[in-house]
């Protein structure tokens, strides 16, 4: 008789790192394709992998479809594909990639992950904050409430009507949306290409130790605390088959 038991595991148990080198010919993207990006509503993820050319000096080589979390310790969740590639090009080989195999909670669907409600202080809650920090480098959240004293429209928030908000929801532009204190809040997808007036955020923000992340997070409490339509996080499950009582069964047959 066989029995299947289900073990619940957090996606953190599936995270892996790999220091990739490719002989100095071309860029990392010539051997490891990077797909996705926040402009598509996706986490950055691994595409085609030329494992016959690239070498994993330490760790396990990422597989096609794996979600890319960090590049040399720099979080890339919530970045556009263009900005993710810019982060990669900033470093010389070997480049350390932190990836995770997609699951029920964390996969390539960025909108799905942001729709979930996690306990404050948990790893997932912190990752959602990192995602919003990166998103706010290229996009501006929107709300239907009135501006407060000191807030600048188009800088802190885009202040819009309820009708305009619903149009954004229906068009699929919003990566997350919900209500807080009776008002609607949402985070639009960033554009694939930044505005010409925007600075090079890779050099001036992501790698600037003096950059004050609290400035980026001053808008997130209302967004992170808002009520969502579907906020229940599915539990990661990994099936493990165990055969119980086989010996006793055999003995009975004898």
């Amino acid at each position: 008789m066989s029995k299947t038991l289900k073990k619940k595991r957090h996606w953190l148990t599936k995270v892996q790192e790999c220091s990739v080198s490719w002989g100095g010919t071309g860029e990392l993207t010539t051997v490891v394709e990077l797909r996705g990006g926040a402009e598509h509503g996706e986490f950055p993820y691994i595409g085609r992998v030329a494992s016959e050319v690239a070498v994993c000096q330490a760790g396990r080589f990422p597989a096609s479809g794996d979600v890319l979390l960090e590049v040399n310790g720099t979080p890339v969740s919530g970045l556009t594909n263009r900005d993710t590639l810019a982060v990669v090009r900033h470093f010389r080989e070997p480049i350390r990639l932190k990836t995770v195999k997609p699951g029920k909670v964390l996969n390539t669907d960025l909108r799905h992950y942001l729709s979930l409600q996690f306990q404050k202080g948990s790893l997932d809650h912190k990752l959602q904050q990192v995602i919003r920090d990166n998103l706010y480098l290229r996009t501006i959240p929107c709300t239907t409430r009135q501006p407060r004293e000191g807030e600048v429209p188009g800088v802190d928030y885009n202040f819009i009507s309820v009708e305009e908000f619903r149009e954004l929801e229906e068009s699929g532009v919003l990566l997350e949306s919900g209500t807080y204190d009776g008002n609607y809040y949402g985070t639009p997808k960033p554009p694939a290409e930044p505005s010409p007036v925007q600075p090079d955020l890779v050099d001036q923000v992501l790698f600037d130790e003096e950059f004050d992340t609290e400035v980026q997070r001053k808008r997130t409490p209302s967004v992170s605390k808002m009520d969502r339509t579907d906020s229940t996080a599915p539990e990661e499950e990994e099936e493990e088959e165990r055969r119980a009582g086989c010996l006793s069964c055999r003995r009975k047959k004898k």
Side-chain angles (χ1 to χ4, degrees), residues 16 32 36 40 88 99 104 130 145 200 218 235 241 249:
Q16 58 188 27
V32 179
H40 303 298
V88 170
T99 59
K104 294 181 180 179
V130 168
R145 69 166 172 79
D200 187 343
K218 69 180 181 180
E235 294 179 319
E241 293 187 359
C249 291

Side-chain angles (χ1 to χ4, degrees), residues 12-254:
L12 181 62
T13 62
K14 297 185 287 185
V15 171
Q16 58 188 27
E17 292 193 29
C18 176
S19 294
V20 182
S21 61
W22 56 97
T25 303
E27 300 177 347
L28 171 68
T29 52
T30 61
V31 294
V32 179
E33 182 186 17
L34 298 181
R35 296 180 179 177
E39 72 271 33
H40 303 298
E42 297 176 328
F43 282 88
Y45 67 94
I46 305 298
R48 178 187 58 84
V49 177
S51 55
E52 70 280 1
V53 179
V55 176
C56 185
Q57 295 185 352
R60 183 182 299 176
F61 212 86
S64 177
D66 285 357
V67 177
L68 179 62
L69 298 175
E70 295 181 6
V71 176
N72 275 18
T74 300
V76 295
S77 301
L79 292 183
T80 63
N81 185 268
R82 180 185 185 279
D83 287 337
T84 301
L85 294 176
V87 171
V88 170
R89 294 183 181 119
H90 182 86
F91 299 107
R92 297 180 179 179
E93 66 173 300
I95 294 180
R96 189 173 72 258
L97 304 179
K98 178 181 283 188
T99 59
V100 62
K101 293 186 179 300
K104 294 181 180 179
V105 174
L106 197 158
N107 47 58
T108 59
D109 191 344
L110 191 61
R111 181 184 283 109
H112 163 73
Y113 189 74
L114 288 174
S115 72
L116 304 177
Q117 198 90 33
F118 298 105
Q119 183 177 357
K120 185 177 181 180
S122 67
L123 177 63
D124 288 286
H125 184 267
K126 292 178 180 178
L127 179 56
Q128 284 185 330
Q129 292 298 92
V130 168
I131 292 171
R132 294 188 184 105
D133 286 345
N134 284 340
L135 285 173
Y136 293 164
L137 300 176
R138 295 299 191 195
T139 192
I140 301 171
C142 57
T143 180
T144 58
R145 69 166 172 79
Q146 294 298 310
R148 295 169 182 163
E149 184 178 356
E151 289 183 329
V152 180
V155 176
D156 296 308
Y157 284 99
N158 281 324
F159 298 95
I160 60 178
S161 66
V162 174
E163 291 73 19
E164 290 173 322
F165 189 92
R166 288 175 177 169
E167 288 178 2
L168 290 177
E169 273 192 315
E170 293 174 359
S171 67
V173 170
L174 299 182
L175 287 174
E176 60 177 337
S177 61
T179 59
Y180 178 74
D181 198 22
N183 298 296
Y184 289 99
Y185 288 84
T187 304
K189 295 177 184 177
E193 295 293 328
S195 167
V197 299
Q198 285 186 311
D200 187 343
L201 298 180
V202 172
D203 290 331
Q204 297 190 24
V205 178
L206 295 181
F207 305 104
D208 187 352
E209 295 181 356
E210 297 180 356
F211 176 70
D212 186 4
T213 56
E214 293 303 318
V215 174
Q216 295 296 318
R217 293 182 178 178
K218 69 180 181 180
R219 296 172 296 194
T220 62
S222 298
V223 176
S224 61
K225 294 178 181 178
M226 66 185 179
D227 295 324
R228 297 167 175 81
T229 304
D230 181 15
S231 61
T232 304
E235 294 179 319
E236 294 282 4
E237 291 184 351
E238 182 172 315
E239 293 188 359
E240 181 179 294
E241 293 187 359
R242 291 183 180 179
R243 294 184 178 181
C246 290
L247 290 177
S248 59
C249 291
R250 291 175 183 173
R251 288 172 182 171
K252 288 181 180 179
K253 289 181 179 180
K254 290 181 179 180

